[in-house]
Amino acid sequence: MTKIRLAIADDHKIFRNGLKATLEDCADFDLVMEASNGKQLIAQLAATTPDVILMDIKMPEMDGIQTTTYVKQHFSHIKVLALSMFNEDKYIVDMMKAGASGYLLKNAEPEEIIEAVSTVFTKDYYFNEHLSITLIKQLAGNTQTGNAPQSLADFNEREIEVLKLVCQEYSNQEIADKICLSVRTVEGYRARLFEKTRSKNLVGLVIFAVKTGIISV
């Protein structure tokens, strides 16, 4: 089994060391990079690219939001899992808008961190209870995220079907099995959905689906 390649970006060395110990205890992970700020991380990406980055929000020189934006623009395949001491909706929403695939507090239990990394790698996102509540509050408040069109005129029936399944947390393989398509075909539909909704990640797709009535919360 191929190990999940990980990077840690956090300016607190003690926390980094504790997180490294947690991750290194998992045989499925391979820690390939660590950095104390966004600039250090980006400089190292020229030599090697991880599968998942655990990204602190508050860092000197280049913070997690700026770094996540850069990573998703230049290395779109890398998943970012936000780590923060701040349990505030603004930080969560800003990181998700920047392209993060999940959000964890730094006091999360080791088991949750391991689960989050594995889920982000296999399903492209990780939702926990607080993140879900934050998104629902944002939707209820009709907060705009991006410039996604609020019309279904440009979507065919199959795209809407795939979108519904994506929002129900099905993986590409599960969707392919469910509607009798190849995984590559589902990946193509998923890519078109991101393009048409102008979304950076699943959060954007969920918000679009709720606002257009495809799903309800």
Side-chain angles (χ1 to χ4, degrees), residues 46-141:
T48 185
T49 56
D51 300 309
V52 179
I53 299 172
L54 289 96
M55 184 87 72
D56 186 21
I57 294 179
K58 291 291 185 179
M59 296 185 291
E61 296 192 53
M62 191 171 186
D63 66 25
I65 296 170
Q66 294 170 315
T67 309
T68 299
T69 299
Y70 179 93
V71 168
K72 298 308 291 185
Q73 287 176 346
H74 295 85
F75 305 91
S76 60
H77 63 286
I78 297 177
K79 312 298 190 306
V80 175
L81 183 60
L83 283 170
S84 179
M85 295 175 61
F86 304 98
N87 193 7
E88 296 183 20
D89 291 358
K90 180 182 184 303
Y91 292 110
I92 297 174
V93 172
D94 286 349
M95 278 299 285
M96 302 308 284
K97 284 182 180 179
S101 297
Y103 184 101
L104 282 175
L105 292 177
K106 287 188 174 182
N107 62 0
E109 295 294 330
E111 294 80 8
E112 184 179 5
I113 296 173
I114 291 171
E115 178 190 0
V117 171
S118 299
T119 303
V120 162
F121 178 72
T122 57
K123 291 194 172 184
D124 297 333
Y125 58 89
Y126 172 74
F127 281 173
N128 58 18
E129 181 180 0
H130 185 72
L131 179 54
S132 299
I133 290 171
T134 298
L135 291 177
I136 290 171
K137 285 167 62 178
Q138 177 171 305
L139 293 167

Side-chain angles (χ1 to χ4, degrees), residues 150 152 160 164 206-217:
Q150 301 303 302
L152 295 179
I160 292 174
K164 287 179 180 178
V206 172
I207 291 174
F208 174 83
V210 171
K211 289 184 175 181
T212 53
I214 293 173
I215 63 172
S216 60
V217 294

Side-chain angles (χ1 to χ4, degrees), residues 6 8 19-26 29 31 54 113 117:
L6 301 179
I8 300 172
L19 186 56
K20 283 167 57 179
T22 295
L23 298 173
E24 289 172 349
D25 281 343
C26 181
F29 299 159
L31 185 61
L54 289 96
I113 296 173
V117 171

